[in-house]
Amino acid sequence: MTQPSRRAPRSDARENRARIVRTARAAFADDPSVSLQSIARASGVGQGTMYRHFPSREALLLAVYREEVEALVAAASALLAGHEPLGALRLWFEHLMAYGRSGHGAALAVEAATRAGQGSRDRPPVTAALDLLLRAGKEARQVRPDAEADEVLLLGACLWQTGDGPASRERRRRVLTLILDGLRVGARG
């Protein structure tokens, strides 16, 4: 028995999805705790349509920030191509920090990206990108062998949880240096 071919979504379904994502992007920027019901109402769609497209808050957050997450993931390989592993790791964390600082919604999207694969054997894309950088650093004997991407990402989450202003920027720079120093070969484990 053959499987029925999967049809492309109808144009109105595509339009609804795009409108939900646009509305959610603005809503999350204003209030990261905004409800899905509020987003559905502002998008002009019903709850059923919202949940058919986005069964969870994480799914909607990931759709809203997919392009940014994809750029962050792609940056890992590009940075490794032009920098030594520890330098690439610093630059990648600077990208991550800027992305996380762009709004609390972005920080929530990174959190969602790290949780997206929990319970499955697939690694979330952000975690996989960091793992690529850490593996390169381990192979170059620049990064300690026990560094795990999910733990390093959890530690790095503090980088976008400081205030704004020059003092906070300097604090983030120092904290990133501490994180990287802790990852260096020879750091105490």
Side-chain angles (χ1 to χ4, degrees):
M1 184 171 220
T2 61
Q3 295 272 0
S5 63
R6 189 166 174 140
R7 290 188 338 211
R10 297 183 334 226
S11 64
D12 61 330
R14 286 191 309 271
E15 290 166 10
N16 284 341
R17 187 179 201 291
R19 189 170 50 252
I20 292 168
V21 170
R22 274 193 314 273
T23 302
R25 178 175 285 118
F28 286 137
D30 289 341
D31 177 10
S33 64
V34 65
S35 72
L36 295 183
Q37 182 178 9
S38 296
I39 293 170
R41 190 175 26 249
S43 299
V45 300
Q47 293 286 64
T49 299
M50 169 65 90
Y51 286 100
R52 187 169 32 260
H53 289 286
F54 305 103
S56 69
R57 181 177 192 78
E58 286 82 8
L60 181 55
L61 277 167
L62 286 173
V64 167
Y65 293 103
R66 184 171 312 280
E67 287 177 10
E68 289 92 341
V69 168
E70 288 173 355
L72 186 62
V73 168
S77 296
L79 290 169
L80 281 172
H83 302 276
E84 50 86 27
L86 211 52
L89 185 59
R90 174 178 280 282
L91 292 169
W92 187 83
F93 261 113
E94 288 172 358
H95 286 296
L96 179 66
M97 187 169 41
Y99 173 55
R101 295 286 308 153
S102 68
H104 291 292
L108 292 171
V110 173
E111 285 181 37
T114 62
R115 288 193 312 269
Q118 286 183 350
S120 77
R121 293 180 356 178
D122 295 332
R123 298 212 62 168
V126 173
T127 307
L130 179 54
D131 191 51
L132 175 70
L133 290 159
L134 291 174
R135 273 196 328 270
K138 290 173 187 178
E139 289 169 7
R141 291 186 165 47
Q142 294 178 346
V143 172
R144 52 193 282 174
D146 63 343
E148 296 292 331
D150 52 350
E151 296 168 351
V152 173
L153 192 57
L154 180 63
L155 182 62
C158 69
L159 294 170
W160 56 80
Q161 297 183 12
T162 60
D164 291 318
S168 293
R169 280 192 296 277
E170 177 59 21
R171 173 177 271 172
R172 285 191 295 275
R173 189 194 60 73
R174 285 192 321 266
V175 169
L176 178 55
T177 298
L178 287 170
I179 291 169
L180 293 174
D181 285 350
L183 290 172
R184 289 180 194 278
V185 167
R188 292 183 185 241

